[in-house]
Amino acid sequence: MRRLLPHPLVSAALLALWLLLNQTLAPGPALVGIVVALLGGRAYDRLEQGRPRLRRPGIALRLAGLVLVDVARSNLAVARLILNRRQDPPAGFIRIPLALRDPRALAVLAAILTATPGSAWVEFDAEEGWLLLHVLDLGEEGEWVRLVKDRYEQPLLEIFA
Amino acid sequence: MTATLLGWALLLAQLMIGGAMLCASWRVLRGPRAQDRVVGLDALYVNAMLLLVTFGIRSGTQVYFEAALLIGLLGFVGTAALAKFLMRGEVIE
Amino acid sequence: MIPQVAELPWFVALPVALLLLAGAGLTLIGSIGLLRLRSFYERVHAPTLATSYGMGCILVASMLFFSVLQTRLVLHEVAIGLFILLTTPVTLMLVARAALHRDRLERNAAVPPTIDRRAA
């Protein structure tokens, strides 16, 4: 089973994408999709050493919901900053010390922070764990540190523990 | 009734996205630096993709969907290659 | 517009219209930000407006419209959404890092320097 399906999540995602693009559940395309999914899973196994395990799916779902709400909120905040003609946004760089070291968890954190309007991941120092973040609305620096550390890093530490 | 409502909404939406594309093109033309042009080009790609999706709704066919997907794919590859070029001065090392 | 649109019930047409306008509006504001914001690092934030909820609203409008029009579930817009969602952070991060690299090479004062390792 492990040889045939080394990455069940990757294979399932590939199959879902295949069926979505074909817009059908007919047996023919589904069969081709299964073959693609199996081959894709094996190819991914060759590329990536180690097996990502999705522990605590509950926390992952909660984090996803949190990100959805945060992105909506920062969409409105950034829109307001852009449309405010009188003053330029108080933008700036922040350094945040991170405890995360797992490359996959860091990738997820980077994607979350960059996809959110108003914050962009600029640089990460892997040795000492410093993150350089550029934010559009600097405000109080502690606020941003707390947002990243408590709201995103803590659940990620638990998920990829 | 619904046809006029949707027709007007589509027209307005397409005008807005067209305006967004003009803004992005201006950033591509003006610069001032290469990285600004790359970010502008990336935004231009995404806006063009969204414009195609609205064209799909207007014409009621799903042909535009494929074009939108292609633009999304090519936009990503293009921007990634340009970013690599900015970093190193060459795309393939 | 195609003639079948006239048969759409208003409780579908209205949300589709509103979602389209909201998505296009967010996209436009994002691109205006691309024009208006003054430094490169501020401008990196602007396109994410279009690639998060701007794109989301328009794709949901398209899914809703085609699902009702063809009386079957049309979900393939999700593929575009997922794809843009995954690639935008990657491209923006790459460009931002390239810009940082270039600015540091030119010793631009507006950019924070590399961390000096006290241990070294």
Side-chain angles (χ1 to χ4, degrees):
Chain A
M1 195 59 198
R2 272 212 162 170
R3 280 188 60 89
L4 191 66
L5 205 63
H7 291 282
L9 274 178
V10 173
S11 295
L14 272 176
L15 180 61
L17 192 64
W18 182 270
L19 292 178
L20 211 58
L21 285 176
N22 276 302
Q23 296 202 69
T24 175
L25 283 173
L31 201 65
V32 180
I34 288 172
V35 172
V36 169
L38 288 180
L39 290 179
R42 296 200 61 171
Y44 185 74
D45 194 41
R46 283 285 176 83
L47 285 176
E48 173 95 28
Q49 302 300 321
R51 184 175 301 270
R53 237 341 132 62
L54 198 64
R55 292 200 188 87
R56 326 284 296 268
I59 296 182
L61 273 180
R62 245 203 57 198
L63 180 65
L66 214 64
V67 170
L68 215 63
V69 174
D70 284 359
V71 171
R73 206 179 290 153
S74 69
N75 255 295
L76 294 179
V78 170
R80 202 171 303 132
L81 280 176
I82 288 174
L83 292 180
N84 183 356
R85 293 197 152 275
R86 274 188 296 278
Q87 61 181 41
D88 286 316
F93 289 94
I94 302 180
R95 279 199 199 283
I96 298 175
L98 289 184
L100 273 182
R101 284 297 180 276
D102 186 287
R104 294 181 205 96
L106 284 170
V108 174
L109 184 63
I112 290 175
L113 286 176
T114 310
T116 309
S119 60
W121 176 289
V122 181
E123 192 186 36
F124 180 67
D125 180 81
E127 271 175 46
E128 295 182 22
W130 281 98
L131 161 66
L132 185 63
L133 199 68
H134 186 270
V135 295
L136 202 54
D137 188 358
L138 198 52
E140 199 200 331
E141 212 164 299
E143 198 88 10
W144 279 101
V145 176
R146 229 170 298 135
L147 176 82
V148 173
K149 300 277 304 175
D150 299 346
R151 221 167 151 82
Y152 301 141
E153 193 190 12
Q154 201 51 45
L156 280 173
L157 277 172
E158 290 176 41
I159 293 168
F160 289 92
Chain B
M1 181 59 208
T2 55
T4 41
L5 171 71
L6 269 180
W8 277 102
L10 269 173
L11 184 69
L12 264 178
Q14 285 175 336
L15 283 177
M16 283 199 267
I17 298 176
M21 286 179 77
L22 279 181
C23 294
S25 323
W26 180 252
R27 185 48 75 194
V28 174
L29 293 176
R30 261 309 283 284
R33 304 202 55 205
Q35 50 262 45
D36 294 296
R37 294 178 211 268
V38 175
V39 170
L41 190 65
D42 191 54
L44 190 61
Y45 263 122
V46 173
N47 292 346
M49 196 197 73
L50 291 178
L51 191 62
L52 277 179
V53 174
T54 59
F55 271 121
I57 297 180
R58 182 179 285 280
S59 62
T61 67
Q62 306 206 351
V63 183
Y64 287 100
F65 165 81
E66 320 265 331
L69 195 62
L70 261 180
I71 287 196
L73 280 166
L74 290 179
F76 167 62
V77 177
T79 313
L82 282 172
K84 182 114 196 319
F85 180 74
L86 287 185
M87 194 87 144
R88 306 262 182 210
E90 51 192 333
V91 178
I92 300 167
E93 294 177 37
Chain C
M1 305 253 0
I2 53 169
Q4 294 95 298
V5 171
E7 291 154 25
L8 279 183
W10 64 269
F11 56 85
V12 175
L14 194 64
V16 169
L18 290 180
L19 280 170
L20 273 174
L21 289 178
L26 277 176
T27 308
L28 180 59
I29 292 174
S31 292
I32 288 175
L34 207 57
L35 271 192
R36 196 186 93 78
L37 296 175
R38 284 201 314 205
S39 83
F40 167 78
Y41 298 98
E42 289 173 28
R43 287 196 282 265
V44 168
H45 299 288
T48 50
L49 230 53
T51 58
S52 54
Y53 272 72
M55 172 195 71
C57 287
I58 291 179
L59 291 183
V60 169
S62 172
M63 279 193 279
L64 195 62
F65 178 80
F66 280 111
S67 295
V68 176
L69 196 69
Q70 305 182 347
T71 55
R72 69 190 180 92
L73 215 51
V74 176
L75 286 179
H76 61 183
E77 279 85 354
V78 173
I80 293 188
L82 274 182
F83 188 74
I84 297 294
L85 215 60
L86 290 178
T87 54
T88 310
V90 177
T91 50
L92 288 184
M93 238 181 300
L94 278 174
V95 178
R97 284 193 52 198
L100 191 71
H101 179 71
R102 283 165 66 105
D103 278 338
R104 277 183 184 155
L105 277 184
E106 295 163 10
R107 304 186 186 285
N108 188 335
V111 164
T114 41
I115 306 161
D116 53 334
R117 297 220 161 72
R118 269 143 296 168

